[in-house]
């Protein structure tokens, strides 16, 4: 969501969907919260770590000076090859089908994955970094269901180059990054306001943290250092967007009024067509950080553009509607700022941003000038009565809007081996009207997250509980929630075993009404080399 790390937020869904069950996940969330709180209170010992160490994680290395090591001498300019091999599995806890009636009961993932990385320093000032992955999921062969081609294309086999860039110094105060990379803006961990430069991989919503979901983008990045300040200038010619669940997935959310999946063409701008530009100014001070950010870019979430559809075409039908309307991306201007400050064992965060130029779908009455015998087949139009003229409700136009976003957060590190973080984001659309609301958008919405992390067994075992709640809109509807529990155990210096469960609480808005039966458990074993 510019916003949370999940596809097609409730207020950006172009068409209505069926409602899901409510309440079941809320009780689970309450139980998990109580359990985590009792665990924390059972350890009254406080940590003495300085919070400057926490903020130190945000610092950027200014050079590539050699690191001293004990033992044999290592050539600092040799190629450094590494990676990992992993096998992961997932199992759906409830029998259910997707909106295309594909059975998703039982095994949902059995994936073998390889990650490879290659790094080389050419000097103390210049280096190159490459990494990518490939995986194959055997679950789709084992289950032998009638999966759509879109699902098999996205979930069965994948290979991709991730980071691929050259980095180096240009004098004492400048450095240059060229290639596919990740550029993190802002200070939030679970919700997104300033962090807009990299799209997300949302094929398995909420099963991982945002830091593991960002998709690198090809860009030219120039940094200038002056005292505590870093000026970042970005030119982004590669156009990549979030990878969302495809048509046929049990996480696919675009449906008609009857709950059946609907597929629309999506037109994305070509690389180098209209280059994205961005700039940031970040100050790192003792105990606090400050960030200013601005961008001119393609907005990640698409809108449904129905303007090419002729409602008075006597041959109007589902086919002509699907051929005429298209999902497009808005060209927006973004500006915002963020600040974080430590106070004892507390870390406070704040982000604010405005997205200007959002195009949203308008749905309203349109006058049809003649009886149309086929138009009643459209999923969004009811059967027409014979007559010379009649009004039908249909997506027919788009309008431009501005969205204001505000995020507040706090983290506490006072308990031994434990951190607790809370973030709340509010979003407001201006110039809101009934036709925008009829398209599935909401004027005001909130997102909130609770994150509790605790280490056990001398930091060999880490538990993470994440609860994310989505809004109450102006009608008081429950937007749904996600609850995730992770356990990560270090079996050895290069071997890790992890597992957990994720639960989706169905609400009145997309996408959670469709995800209410998608609860699942998952596990992975990974060997790094």
């Amino acid at each position: 969501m510019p916003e949370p790390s999940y596809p097609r937020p409730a207020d950006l869904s172009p068409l209505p969907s069926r409602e899901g069950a409510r309440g079941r996940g809320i009780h689970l969330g309450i139980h998990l919260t109580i359990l985590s709180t009792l665990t924390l209170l059972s350890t009254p010992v406080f940590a003495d770590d300085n919070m400057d160490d926490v903020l130190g994680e945000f610092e950027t290395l200014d050079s590539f000076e050699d690191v001293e090591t004990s033992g044999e001498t290592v050539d600092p300019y040799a190629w450094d090859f590494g990676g990992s091999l992993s096998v992961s599995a997932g199992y759906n806890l409830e029998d259910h089908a997707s909106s295309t009636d594909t059975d998703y009961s039982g095994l949902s993932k059995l994936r073998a994955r390889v990650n490879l990385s290659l790094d080389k320093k050419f000097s103390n000032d210049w280096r190159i970094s490459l990494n990518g992955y490939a995986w194959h999921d055997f679950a789709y062969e084992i289950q032998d269901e009638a999966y759509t081609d879109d699902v098999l294309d996205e979930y069965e086999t994948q290979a991709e180059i991730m980071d691929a860039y050259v980095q180096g110094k240009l004098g004492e105060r400048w450095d240059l990054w060229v290639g596919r990379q990740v550029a993190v803006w802002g200070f939030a961990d679970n919700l997104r306001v300033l962090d807009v430069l990299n799209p997300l991989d949302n094929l398995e919503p909420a099963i991982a943290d945002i830091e593991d979901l960002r998709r690198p983008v090809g860009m030219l990045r120039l940094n200038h250092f002056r005292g505590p300040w870093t000026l970042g200038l970005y030119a982004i010619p590669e156009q990549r967007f979030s990878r969302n669940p495809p048509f046929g997935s049990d996480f696919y959310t675009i449906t008609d009024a009857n709950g059946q999946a609907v597929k629309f063409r999506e037109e994305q701008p070509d690389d180098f067509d209209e280059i994205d530009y961005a700039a940031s100014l970040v100050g790192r001070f003792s105990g606090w950080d400050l960030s200013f950010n601005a961008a001119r870019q393609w907005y990640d979430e698409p809108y449904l553009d129905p303007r090419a559809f002729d409602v008075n075409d006597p041959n109007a039908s589902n086919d002509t509607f699907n051929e005429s309307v298209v999902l497009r991306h808005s060209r927006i201007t973004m500006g915002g700022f963020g600040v974080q400050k430590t106070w004892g064992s507390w870390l406070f965060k704040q982000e604010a941003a405005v997205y200007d130029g959002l195009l949203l779908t308008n749905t309203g009455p349109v006058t049809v000038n003649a009886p149309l015998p086929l138009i009643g087949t459209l999923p969004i139009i009811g059967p027409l009565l014979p007559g010379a003229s009649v009004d039908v409700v249909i997506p027919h136009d788009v309008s431009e809007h501005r969205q204001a976003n505000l995020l507040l957060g706090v983290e506490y590190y006072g308990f031994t081996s434990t951190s607790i973080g809370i973030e709340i984001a509010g979003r407001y659309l201006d110039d809101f009207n009934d036709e925008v609301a009829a398209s599935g958008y909401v004027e005001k919405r909130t997102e909130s997250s609770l994150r509790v992390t605790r280490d056990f067994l001398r930091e060999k075992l880490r538990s993470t509980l994440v609860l994310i709640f989505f809004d109450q809109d102006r009608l008081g509807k429950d937007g749904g929630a996600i609850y995730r529990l992770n356990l990560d155990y270090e079996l050895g210096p290069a071997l890790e075993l992890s597992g957990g469960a994720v639960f989706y609480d169905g609400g009145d808005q997309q996408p959670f009404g469709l995800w209410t039966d998608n609860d699942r458990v998952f596990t992975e074993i990974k060997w790094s080399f």
Side-chain angles (χ1 to χ4, degrees), residues 1-12 190-193 195 200 202 210 213 242 244 299-301 355 405 407 425 427 445-449 468-471 482 511-512:
M1 301 178 296
E3 338 216 271
S5 49
Y6 312 104
R8 196 95 32 185
D11 65 332
L12 291 176
N190 300 302
L191 307 177
R192 305 182 88 192
V193 169
D195 186 26
L200 301 179
N202 287 317
I210 287 179
L213 300 177
S242 289
N244 292 323
Y299 191 59
D300 189 60
E301 293 289 342
Y355 309 149
N405 307 268
L407 180 144
R427 309 185 191 275
R445 61 192 181 92
T446 59
E447 303 148 16
S448 56
S449 69
I468 301 180
F469 303 92
F470 297 89
D471 54 40
I482 297 175
F512 304 102

Side-chain angles (χ1 to χ4, degrees), residues 255-300:
T255 66
D256 61 23
N258 298 317
Q260 295 300 306
V262 180
K263 182 180 179 181
F264 297 108
R265 291 182 300 120
E266 181 174 347
E267 291 187 359
Q268 297 183 355
D270 295 329
D271 295 342
F272 292 92
D273 185 12
E274 283 194 62
I275 297 176
D276 291 352
Y277 296 98
S280 64
L281 181 62
V282 180
R284 306 290 188 185
F285 306 97
S286 177
W288 67 288
D289 298 331
L290 180 64
S291 175
F292 299 96
N293 307 84
R296 177 66 175 171
Q297 63 176 162
W298 292 103
Y299 191 59
D300 189 60

Side-chain angles (χ1 to χ4, degrees), residues 94-229:
E94 298 188 39
D95 295 343
H96 66 283
S98 69
S99 52
T100 56
D101 295 325
T102 303
D103 185 10
Y104 275 89
S105 304
L107 184 69
S108 61
K109 180 169 67 174
L110 185 59
R111 181 179 299 172
R113 173 169 174 152
V114 56
N115 285 59
L116 298 176
S117 64
L118 190 62
D119 295 272
K120 179 176 174 58
K121 287 176 55 177
F122 298 104
S123 68
N124 285 338
D125 296 336
W126 288 90
R127 71 179 177 108
I128 187 172
S129 180
L130 304 168
N131 72 70
Y133 70 85
W135 50 255
H136 181 76
D137 199 324
F138 296 94
Y140 294 91
E141 300 169 9
I142 296 173
Q143 292 293 78
D144 194 28
E145 295 291 338
Y147 298 107
T148 64
D149 291 340
D150 301 76
V151 166
L152 295 179
D153 288 344
E154 292 288 351
Y155 289 101
E156 189 172 32
T157 302
Q158 281 285 343
E160 183 175 331
I161 296 176
M162 296 292 282
D163 297 291
Y165 60 85
V166 175
Q167 178 187 5
K169 279 190 173 184
L170 300 175
E172 291 296 323
R173 296 184 179 275
W174 294 88
D175 70 13
L176 178 70
W177 303 56
V178 181
R180 184 174 280 187
Q181 57 193 280
V182 170
V184 181
W185 280 4
F187 309 111
D189 294 319
N190 300 302
L191 307 177
R192 305 182 88 192
V193 169
L194 294 178
D195 186 26
V196 297
L197 294 189
N198 292 93
L200 301 179
D201 187 337
N202 287 317
L203 290 181
E204 298 177 274
I207 208 167
D209 294 332
I210 287 179
E211 64 180 351
D212 299 318
L213 300 177
R214 293 186 181 95
R215 304 183 69 195
V217 174
M219 66 177 74
L220 185 150
R221 174 181 175 185
L222 190 62
N223 290 333
H224 177 67
F225 306 96
R226 178 78 60 174
W229 295 96

Side-chain angles (χ1 to χ4, degrees), residues 92 179 257 259 323 338 387 433 454:
N92 293 323
E323 292 171 0
N433 56 56
R454 182 179 174 87

